[in-house]
């Protein structure tokens, strides 16, 4: 169980700090705020999920296994990660060294009315990751801790997990591209090249 500390960081500032160090890493964003935030810094190496709640971590796992020479980062929220909590066990069993998961944890279901999630009630996602065999798992509360953890998302052996505690500041949806087929085709072409993307 987690302690009583609360997040004070702004989630979009957290996202900016992370993407500033991403290089050519592949990124999968989960349902809701993580995708809206990623839309403010649209990137060809980012695949945004819209309605697949709980699917981001498993999609990241599949991508990491298929592209073992590329770093893969999953960015999602606590509600989405709780929906797909079984993914922790599968990722821990597979142990892909090139996969990291960053959960932006405001301890609320932002998309459905700001109901408290289980992390608000003491569930530690980093603790679950550790018990499932992740190579590293941390909970981040401060900018100093964030600065120390961001390089771990992109370097070293994974799977690595970070629960990044943020405040409950909400933003309007910022979506540059809404077409799922276009996002899929763009991501595949950028990753595989146009000549291989459809064969």
């Amino acid at each position: 169980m987690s302690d009583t500390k609360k997040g004070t960081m702004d989630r979009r500032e957290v996202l900016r700090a992370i993407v500033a160090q991403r290089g050519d890493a592949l990124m999968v964003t989960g349902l809701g705020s993580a995708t809206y935030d990623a839309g403010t810094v649209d990137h060809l190496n980012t695949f945004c999920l819209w309605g697949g709640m709980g699917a981001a971590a498993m999609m990241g796992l599949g991508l990491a296994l298929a592209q073992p020479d590329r770093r893969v980062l999953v960015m999602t929220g606590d509600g989405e990660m709780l929906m797909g909590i079984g993914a922790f066990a599968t990722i821990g069993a597979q142990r892909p060294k090139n996969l990291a998961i960053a959960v932006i944890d405001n301890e609320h279901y932002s998309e459905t009315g700001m109901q408290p999630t289980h992390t608000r009630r003491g569930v530690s996602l980093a603790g679950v990751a550790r018990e499932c065999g992740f190579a590293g798992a941390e909970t981040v509360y401060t900018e100093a801790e964030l600065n120390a953890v961001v390089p771990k998302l992109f370097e070293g052996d994974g799977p690595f997990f970070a629960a990044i505690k943020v405040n409950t500041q909400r933003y309007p949806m910022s979506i540059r591209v809404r077409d799922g087929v276009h996002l899929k085709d763009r991501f595949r072409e950028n990753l595989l090249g146009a000549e291989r993307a459809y064969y």
Side-chain angles (χ1 to χ4, degrees), residues 8-192:
T8 60
M9 292 183 290
D10 180 278
R11 72 175 205 237
R12 289 202 169 165
E13 293 299 323
V14 167
L15 178 81
R16 280 190 276 271
I18 291 172
V19 298
Q21 296 188 41
R22 76 177 286 182
D24 70 345
L26 306 174
M27 188 163 79
V28 177
T29 63
L31 175 79
S33 297
T35 285
Y36 305 149
D37 294 348
T40 67
V41 286
D42 192 32
H43 194 289
L44 292 176
N45 281 352
T46 300
F47 187 83
C48 300
L49 291 174
W50 293 108
M53 187 170 183
M58 291 307 290
M59 183 169 178
L61 172 62
L63 190 57
L65 294 175
Q67 298 289 326
D69 296 327
R70 299 291 298 272
R71 191 72 176 192
V72 177
L73 172 64
V74 173
M75 290 273 295
T76 192
D78 49 310
E80 207 267 357
M81 194 70 241
L82 286 162
M83 175 67 78
I85 201 159
F88 281 113
T90 303
I91 292 168
Q94 291 288 326
R95 294 186 65 82
K97 294 184 176 183
N98 58 327
L99 178 63
I101 299 173
V103 168
I104 309 302
D105 185 0
N106 69 357
E107 301 183 347
H108 289 80
Y109 291 106
S110 300
E111 300 308 300
T112 60
M114 296 299 286
Q115 303 91 341
T117 68
H118 295 332
T119 63
R120 177 80 172 179
R121 296 182 171 97
V123 172
S124 168
L125 291 174
V128 174
R130 277 191 294 272
E131 292 302 315
C132 286
F134 277 56
E138 299 183 27
T139 301
V140 173
Y141 292 93
T142 68
E143 289 185 21
E145 292 170 345
L146 179 67
N147 291 337
V149 88
V150 168
K152 298 178 185 179
L153 298 173
F154 302 109
E155 303 169 2
D157 285 349
F160 180 78
F161 179 86
I164 303 171
K165 298 287 188 172
V166 298
N167 61 37
T168 55
Q169 171 69 44
R170 300 187 72 188
Y171 290 96
M173 295 190 311
S174 301
I175 305 171
R176 295 184 183 181
V177 182
R178 301 182 68 100
D179 186 326
V181 174
H182 171 73
L183 283 168
K184 181 258 298 179
D185 289 344
R186 184 182 76 167
F187 186 80
R188 283 176 58 88
E189 287 182 15
N190 186 59
L191 177 60
L192 302 174

